[in-house]
Amino acid sequence: MLNGTTCPASLLSIKDALEVLEGKWKLLILFVLSSGPKRFSQLSREIKGISDRTLSKELKLLEMNQLVTRTVTHTPLPEVHYEITPHGRSLAAVLDELHKWGLLHRSEIIRD
Amino acid sequence: MLNGTTCPASLLSIKDALEVLEGKWKLLILFVLSSGPKRFSQLSREIKGISDRTLSKELKLLEMNQLVTRTVTHTPLPEVHYEITPHGRSLAAVLDELHKWGLLHRSEIIRD
C-alpha cells in the first residue's frame, strides 16, 4: 500500500474505514466480543479504562454500522447481550496487523 | 486474530497501536506522505477536510512517535518538509487492510 502512489480512491476507502472505527475503543470492543457474546458489565470489566457512558455510546455506533448486535432475552428477567456480527469479524485482518504493529512499536519505542 | 481467544497481551498491543494512531487523520497523513516528502500546504490540500490547526497537531504527534520527520532547508528561503520514516512505513500492512475493509464496508452498507 505504501508504494509511492496515493490514488484518491485508496485515500477514500481508508477514510471510510477510519470514520467507522474512529477512536481507541471500537476495535478493542470488537476484539473482546470476538470470544463470544457478552453482557455490558463484562465488557466494562474486560476493557480497562473505558467509562460506562463511552462504552454505551461506542456500542450504539458499532450497532449502527452493523458490526455488533444487541439482543434482549427474558430468562425470566430481561438480560442484554452484545455479539459481533459476521461483518464485524471481517475486521480480523485489520486487528491482526494492528496487534503486530503494536508489538513492533512497543519494541521500537522501548529500544530507544 | 478473532479466533475466540482474547488474551490480555493481545489486547494491550492493539491498545498500544490504537493510542498512537488515534483519530481519523494520522493514518491518512502517513498514507499521503508515503508518496514522498511534502510541505505543510501540500498535505493540507491533499487531505480534504483537515484544518491547519489539526494538521499541525497531528504532525507533532506523528513526529513524537517517530513516524514522521520534519526537515527545514534553506534554499535560500527556509522551507519545511515532512517525510515518513521507516517506522512509519511499517504501517503499510495496517493501511492495506484498512483500505480493503473500507471497500468492503462501503459495499456492505450500500448493498443494504
Side-chain angles (χ1 to χ4, degrees), chain A residues 51-107:
Chain A
S51 71
D52 285 357
R53 193 158 159 257
T54 300
L55 178 56
S56 172
K57 188 194 84 184
E58 299 288 59
L59 283 168
K60 278 197 187 81
L61 290 168
L62 288 168
E63 234 185 304
M64 207 181 73
N65 276 296
Q66 301 169 37
L67 298 170
V68 161
T69 54
R70 179 178 184 274
T71 312
V72 184
T73 51
H74 297 273
T75 50
L77 294 176
E79 218 178 45
V80 176
H81 278 88
Y82 294 91
E83 192 165 2
I84 193 169
T85 62
H87 187 44
R89 284 195 183 280
S90 68
L91 279 158
V94 171
L95 280 163
D96 227 12
E97 293 305 335
L98 280 170
H99 167 54
K100 282 184 239 170
W101 192 80
L103 294 174
L104 173 74
H105 184 70
R106 185 170 272 268
S107 69

Side-chain angles (χ1 to χ4, degrees), chain A residues 3-14:
Chain A
N3 55 13
T5 63
T6 56
C7 72
S10 304
L11 199 62
L12 177 66
S13 64
I14 293 171

Side-chain angles (χ1 to χ4, degrees), chain B residues 52-69:
Chain B
D52 284 357
R53 192 158 159 256
T54 300
L55 178 55
S56 172
K57 187 194 83 184
E58 299 288 58
L59 283 167
K60 281 197 185 80
L61 290 168
L62 288 169
E63 239 186 300
M64 210 181 70
N65 277 298
Q66 302 168 36
L67 298 170
V68 162
T69 54

Side-chain angles (χ1 to χ4, degrees), chain A residues 13 16 66 99 105-106 112, chain B residues 13 16 66 99 106 112:
Chain A
S13 64
D16 279 351
Q66 301 169 37
H99 167 54
H105 184 70
R106 185 170 272 268
D112 286 346
Chain B
S13 65
D16 277 353
Q66 302 168 36
H99 167 55
R106 187 170 270 270
D112 285 347

